[in-house]
Amino acid sequence: MSFYDATVPAFLQILGSLSGLLTKAEAHCKARSIAPEVMLSARLFPDMLPLAKQIQLACDFAGKSCARLTHSEVVSTPDTEKTFEELKARLAKTVDYIKMFKPAQFEGKDAGDVTFPVGPSNTLTLKGQQFVNNYAFPNFYFHAATAHGILRHNGVEIGKRDFLGVN
Amino acid sequence: MSFYDATVPAFLQILGSLSGLLTKAEAHCKARSIAPEVMLSARLFPDMLPLAKQIQLACDFAGKSCARLTHSEVVSTPDTEKTFEELKARLAKTVDYIKMFKPAQFEGKDAGDVTFPVGPSNTLTLKGQQFVNNYAFPNFYFHAATAHGILRHNGVEIGKRDFLGVN
């Protein structure tokens, strides 16, 4: 199988499932008269990033990783979303963006160099496959699973099957 | 790069970082006179699995996925661990187990069939690459990141860099 097959479907699966999690979270808020902004700003600890930012970061680690792997322009994505609807639109936009990449663009890129920023002033260069293993996937899944954890902790009736996108 | 390179290092990185998270959690418990079993049984919600089980499941999704991908015997791993030390030993044993697999055992397995149990009485068959993308990685990272979330929520001073294993 191709390097495209090893990366793109993994991102798309979880981006889709995150949209489903937000749909359930929004319904949960409506049913219990919880202000959406309360849920979107929920955190697992005071110095941790809130739910909305976890979703935005999952989008960025998926979309920008595809751009970096294929040596495409890394488009800036300001974090302006303030509602469930806007976050779901961000997810949908990220899915559309990732779907624009063609398998041919990933060919040989597993062994090619990827240079990416780490922190405000440094860059790191890894081979494409290492970039996916060591950086893109763990960061992407981290923010996605943390979003699930925040919602779970706040009583939204979801579980791992929702995270996997099989519910 | 090989299918081995696309799977094994990803598991090893996070299994190593989980051990580091447990070391910090144990020190946190000692410094604050928190009984270890309180932390090991912590959950983000009452009907969610506790910390110890999240670690055990991360071990299983890593080790057993390698076994299934290479058509090796899937060894039973009873969840007997009750202390930080035992859980770190389980992680170390899983790392040793995964390191026994050779790149040659993964050759061509991305396109080969993997049949695995889903639920108590069903099985599912996927191509190796799909098994990794759709099942092994999302499950593995889910439990690893949830373990991080539980510790973070309980005040252990860790962050994403610890989860990535770069601290």
PDB file of all heavy atoms in Angstrom, chain A residues 148-167:
ATOM      1  N   HIS A 148     -12.222  14.136  23.342  1.00  0.00           N
ATOM      2  CA  HIS A 148     -13.146  13.088  23.805  1.00  0.00           C
ATOM      3  C   HIS A 148     -13.166  13.040  25.332  1.00  0.00           C
ATOM      4  O   HIS A 148     -14.233  12.970  25.951  1.00  0.00           O
ATOM      5  CB  HIS A 148     -12.734  11.732  23.227  1.00  0.00           C
ATOM      6  CG  HIS A 148     -13.504  10.571  23.792  1.00  0.00           C
ATOM      7  ND1 HIS A 148     -13.143   9.946  24.968  1.00  0.00           N
ATOM      8  CD2 HIS A 148     -14.624   9.955  23.364  1.00  0.00           C
ATOM      9  CE1 HIS A 148     -14.017   8.994  25.230  1.00  0.00           C
ATOM     10  NE2 HIS A 148     -14.917   8.969  24.274  1.00  0.00           N
ATOM     11  N   GLY A 149     -11.991  13.098  25.943  1.00  0.00           N
ATOM     12  CA  GLY A 149     -11.893  13.030  27.400  1.00  0.00           C
ATOM     13  C   GLY A 149     -12.603  14.189  28.086  1.00  0.00           C
ATOM     14  O   GLY A 149     -13.264  14.004  29.112  1.00  0.00           O
ATOM     15  N   ILE A 150     -12.466  15.376  27.519  1.00  0.00           N
ATOM     16  CA  ILE A 150     -13.138  16.552  28.100  1.00  0.00           C
ATOM     17  C   ILE A 150     -14.659  16.362  28.045  1.00  0.00           C
ATOM     18  O   ILE A 150     -15.372  16.603  29.028  1.00  0.00           O
ATOM     19  CB  ILE A 150     -12.723  17.847  27.356  1.00  0.00           C
ATOM     20  CG1 ILE A 150     -11.237  18.165  27.614  1.00  0.00           C
ATOM     21  CG2 ILE A 150     -13.609  19.027  27.783  1.00  0.00           C
ATOM     22  CD1 ILE A 150     -10.682  19.308  26.765  1.00  0.00           C
ATOM     23  N   LEU A 151     -15.147  15.918  26.899  1.00  0.00           N
ATOM     24  CA  LEU A 151     -16.599  15.721  26.745  1.00  0.00           C
ATOM     25  C   LEU A 151     -17.097  14.614  27.673  1.00  0.00           C
ATOM     26  O   LEU A 151     -18.151  14.736  28.308  1.00  0.00           O
ATOM     27  CB  LEU A 151     -16.939  15.385  25.288  1.00  0.00           C
ATOM     28  CG  LEU A 151     -16.757  16.537  24.297  1.00  0.00           C
ATOM     29  CD1 LEU A 151     -16.948  16.045  22.868  1.00  0.00           C
ATOM     30  CD2 LEU A 151     -17.742  17.667  24.615  1.00  0.00           C
ATOM     31  N   ARG A 152     -16.328  13.547  27.750  1.00  0.00           N
ATOM     32  CA  ARG A 152     -16.680  12.401  28.604  1.00  0.00           C
ATOM     33  C   ARG A 152     -16.743  12.842  30.057  1.00  0.00           C
ATOM     34  O   ARG A 152     -17.678  12.494  30.783  1.00  0.00           O
ATOM     35  CB  ARG A 152     -15.598  11.346  28.399  1.00  0.00           C
ATOM     36  CG  ARG A 152     -15.898   9.972  28.880  1.00  0.00           C
ATOM     37  CD  ARG A 152     -16.879   9.267  27.975  1.00  0.00           C
ATOM     38  NE  ARG A 152     -16.926   7.848  28.351  1.00  0.00           N
ATOM     39  CZ  ARG A 152     -17.531   7.383  29.436  1.00  0.00           C
ATOM     40  NH1 ARG A 152     -18.179   8.209  30.228  1.00  0.00           N
ATOM     41  NH2 ARG A 152     -17.515   6.097  29.715  1.00  0.00           N
ATOM     42  N   HIS A 153     -15.738  13.614  30.451  1.00  0.00           N
ATOM     43  CA  HIS A 153     -15.668  14.102  31.828  1.00  0.00           C
ATOM     44  C   HIS A 153     -16.838  15.018  32.154  1.00  0.00           C
ATOM     45  O   HIS A 153     -17.249  15.132  33.306  1.00  0.00           O
ATOM     46  CB  HIS A 153     -14.349  14.838  32.023  1.00  0.00           C
ATOM     47  CG  HIS A 153     -14.179  15.414  33.391  1.00  0.00           C
ATOM     48  ND1 HIS A 153     -14.152  14.627  34.528  1.00  0.00           N
ATOM     49  CD2 HIS A 153     -14.036  16.685  33.821  1.00  0.00           C
ATOM     50  CE1 HIS A 153     -13.999  15.402  35.599  1.00  0.00           C
ATOM     51  NE2 HIS A 153     -13.931  16.644  35.196  1.00  0.00           N
ATOM     52  N   ASN A 154     -17.365  15.682  31.150  1.00  0.00           N
ATOM     53  CA  ASN A 154     -18.488  16.593  31.358  1.00  0.00           C
ATOM     54  C   ASN A 154     -19.836  15.915  31.158  1.00  0.00           C
ATOM     55  O   ASN A 154     -20.867  16.592  31.086  1.00  0.00           O
ATOM     56  CB  ASN A 154     -18.342  17.819  30.439  1.00  0.00           C
ATOM     57  CG  ASN A 154     -17.376  18.832  31.027  1.00  0.00           C
ATOM     58  OD1 ASN A 154     -17.763  19.669  31.836  1.00  0.00           O
ATOM     59  ND2 ASN A 154     -16.100  18.734  30.665  1.00  0.00           N
ATOM     60  N   GLY A 155     -19.821  14.596  31.077  1.00  0.00           N
ATOM     61  CA  GLY A 155     -21.079  13.858  31.110  1.00  0.00           C
ATOM     62  C   GLY A 155     -21.745  13.613  29.781  1.00  0.00           C
ATOM     63  O   GLY A 155     -22.834  13.041  29.740  1.00  0.00           O
ATOM     64  N   VAL A 156     -21.114  14.021  28.683  1.00  0.00           N
ATOM     65  CA  VAL A 156     -21.708  13.730  27.374  1.00  0.00           C
ATOM     66  C   VAL A 156     -21.653  12.216  27.164  1.00  0.00           C
ATOM     67  O   VAL A 156     -20.636  11.584  27.447  1.00  0.00           O
ATOM     68  CB  VAL A 156     -20.940  14.467  26.247  1.00  0.00           C
ATOM     69  CG1 VAL A 156     -21.557  14.146  24.884  1.00  0.00           C
ATOM     70  CG2 VAL A 156     -20.950  15.970  26.497  1.00  0.00           C
ATOM     71  N   GLU A 157     -22.756  11.656  26.702  1.00  0.00           N
ATOM     72  CA  GLU A 157     -22.846  10.196  26.594  1.00  0.00           C
ATOM     73  C   GLU A 157     -22.190   9.685  25.318  1.00  0.00           C
ATOM     74  O   GLU A 157     -22.851   9.401  24.314  1.00  0.00           O
ATOM     75  CB  GLU A 157     -24.309   9.750  26.705  1.00  0.00           C
ATOM     76  CG  GLU A 157     -24.813   9.955  28.128  1.00  0.00           C
ATOM     77  CD  GLU A 157     -26.175   9.332  28.390  1.00  0.00           C
ATOM     78  OE1 GLU A 157     -26.749   8.734  27.458  1.00  0.00           O
ATOM     79  OE2 GLU A 157     -26.651   9.448  29.534  1.00  0.00           O
ATOM     80  N   ILE A 158     -20.888   9.581  25.399  1.00  0.00           N
ATOM     81  CA  ILE A 158     -20.090   9.084  24.285  1.00  0.00           C
ATOM     82  C   ILE A 158     -19.147   8.014  24.827  1.00  0.00           C
ATOM     83  O   ILE A 158     -19.003   7.846  26.036  1.00  0.00           O
ATOM     84  CB  ILE A 158     -19.252  10.215  23.650  1.00  0.00           C
ATOM     85  CG1 ILE A 158     -18.464  10.972  24.758  1.00  0.00           C
ATOM     86  CG2 ILE A 158     -20.134  11.174  22.863  1.00  0.00           C
ATOM     87  CD1 ILE A 158     -17.483  11.992  24.242  1.00  0.00           C
ATOM     88  N   GLY A 159     -18.499   7.301  23.926  1.00  0.00           N
ATOM     89  CA  GLY A 159     -17.526   6.296  24.334  1.00  0.00           C
ATOM     90  C   GLY A 159     -16.513   6.100  23.228  1.00  0.00           C
ATOM     91  O   GLY A 159     -16.521   6.830  22.227  1.00  0.00           O
ATOM     92  N   LYS A 160     -15.684   5.086  23.399  1.00  0.00           N
ATOM     93  CA  LYS A 160     -14.596   4.880  22.440  1.00  0.00           C
ATOM     94  C   LYS A 160     -15.121   4.625  21.040  1.00  0.00           C
ATOM     95  O   LYS A 160     -14.493   5.023  20.065  1.00  0.00           O
ATOM     96  CB  LYS A 160     -13.703   3.726  22.902  1.00  0.00           C
ATOM     97  CG  LYS A 160     -12.423   3.617  22.078  1.00  0.00           C
ATOM     98  CD  LYS A 160     -11.438   2.626  22.665  1.00  0.00           C
ATOM     99  CE  LYS A 160     -11.897   1.200  22.463  1.00  0.00           C
ATOM    100  NZ  LYS A 160     -10.842   0.210  22.796  1.00  0.00           N
ATOM    101  N   ARG A 161     -16.277   3.988  20.937  1.00  0.00           N
ATOM    102  CA  ARG A 161     -16.812   3.725  19.589  1.00  0.00           C
ATOM    103  C   ARG A 161     -17.129   5.022  18.850  1.00  0.00           C
ATOM    104  O   ARG A 161     -17.015   5.089  17.622  1.00  0.00           O
ATOM    105  CB  ARG A 161     -18.058   2.832  19.670  1.00  0.00           C
ATOM    106  CG  ARG A 161     -17.735   1.382  20.076  1.00  0.00           C
ATOM    107  CD  ARG A 161     -18.991   0.546  20.253  1.00  0.00           C
ATOM    108  NE  ARG A 161     -19.793   0.478  19.043  1.00  0.00           N
ATOM    109  CZ  ARG A 161     -19.569  -0.379  18.048  1.00  0.00           C
ATOM    110  NH1 ARG A 161     -18.578  -1.233  18.130  1.00  0.00           N
ATOM    111  NH2 ARG A 161     -20.329  -0.376  16.971  1.00  0.00           N
ATOM    112  N   ASP A 162     -17.518   6.051  19.586  1.00  0.00           N
ATOM    113  CA  ASP A 162     -17.726   7.360  18.947  1.00  0.00           C
ATOM    114  C   ASP A 162     -16.394   7.947  18.499  1.00  0.00           C
ATOM    115  O   ASP A 162     -16.294   8.570  17.441  1.00  0.00           O
ATOM    116  CB  ASP A 162     -18.414   8.327  19.918  1.00  0.00           C
ATOM    117  CG  ASP A 162     -19.809   7.882  20.274  1.00  0.00           C
ATOM    118  OD1 ASP A 162     -20.705   8.002  19.418  1.00  0.00           O
ATOM    119  OD2 ASP A 162     -20.013   7.395  21.410  1.00  0.00           O
ATOM    120  N   PHE A 163     -15.387   7.767  19.337  1.00  0.00           N
ATOM    121  CA  PHE A 163     -14.057   8.276  18.983  1.00  0.00           C
ATOM    122  C   PHE A 163     -13.535   7.578  17.726  1.00  0.00           C
ATOM    123  O   PHE A 163     -12.917   8.196  16.863  1.00  0.00           O
ATOM    124  CB  PHE A 163     -13.077   8.047  20.145  1.00  0.00           C
ATOM    125  CG  PHE A 163     -11.667   8.447  19.816  1.00  0.00           C
ATOM    126  CD1 PHE A 163     -11.277   9.783  19.830  1.00  0.00           C
ATOM    127  CD2 PHE A 163     -10.726   7.497  19.443  1.00  0.00           C
ATOM    128  CE1 PHE A 163      -9.984  10.157  19.509  1.00  0.00           C
ATOM    129  CE2 PHE A 163      -9.428   7.861  19.124  1.00  0.00           C
ATOM    130  CZ  PHE A 163      -9.056   9.191  19.155  1.00  0.00           C
ATOM    131  N   LEU A 164     -13.781   6.275  17.638  1.00  0.00           N
ATOM    132  CA  LEU A 164     -13.311   5.514  16.480  1.00  0.00           C
ATOM    133  C   LEU A 164     -14.167   5.784  15.237  1.00  0.00           C
ATOM    134  O   LEU A 164     -13.769   5.458  14.123  1.00  0.00           O
ATOM    135  CB  LEU A 164     -13.341   4.009  16.786  1.00  0.00           C
ATOM    136  CG  LEU A 164     -12.431   3.534  17.921  1.00  0.00           C
ATOM    137  CD1 LEU A 164     -12.665   2.050  18.195  1.00  0.00           C
ATOM    138  CD2 LEU A 164     -10.965   3.781  17.593  1.00  0.00           C
ATOM    139  N   GLY A 165     -15.343   6.368  15.465  1.00  0.00           N
ATOM    140  CA  GLY A 165     -16.213   6.662  14.329  1.00  0.00           C
ATOM    141  C   GLY A 165     -17.013   5.465  13.862  1.00  0.00           C
ATOM    142  O   GLY A 165     -17.467   5.422  12.720  1.00  0.00           O
ATOM    143  N   VAL A 166     -17.194   4.463  14.744  1.00  0.00           N
ATOM    144  CA  VAL A 166     -17.967   3.281  14.343  1.00  0.00           C
ATOM    145  C   VAL A 166     -19.367   3.290  14.956  1.00  0.00           C
ATOM    146  O   VAL A 166     -20.112   2.334  14.772  1.00  0.00           O
ATOM    147  CB  VAL A 166     -17.245   1.952  14.690  1.00  0.00           C
ATOM    148  CG1 VAL A 166     -15.988   1.821  13.854  1.00  0.00           C
ATOM    149  CG2 VAL A 166     -16.903   1.863  16.176  1.00  0.00           C
ATOM    150  N   ASN A 167     -19.709   4.337  15.657  1.00  0.00           N
ATOM    151  CA  ASN A 167     -21.076   4.468  16.202  1.00  0.00           C
ATOM    152  C   ASN A 167     -21.939   5.276  15.242  1.00  0.00           C
ATOM    153  O   ASN A 167     -21.450   6.205  14.629  1.00  0.00           O
ATOM    154  CB  ASN A 167     -21.044   5.167  17.567  1.00  0.00           C
ATOM    155  CG  ASN A 167     -21.328   4.194  18.679  1.00  0.00           C
ATOM    156  OD1 ASN A 167     -21.465   3.005  18.436  1.00  0.00           O
ATOM    157  ND2 ASN A 167     -21.397   4.676  19.894  1.00  0.00           N
TER     158      ASN A 167
END
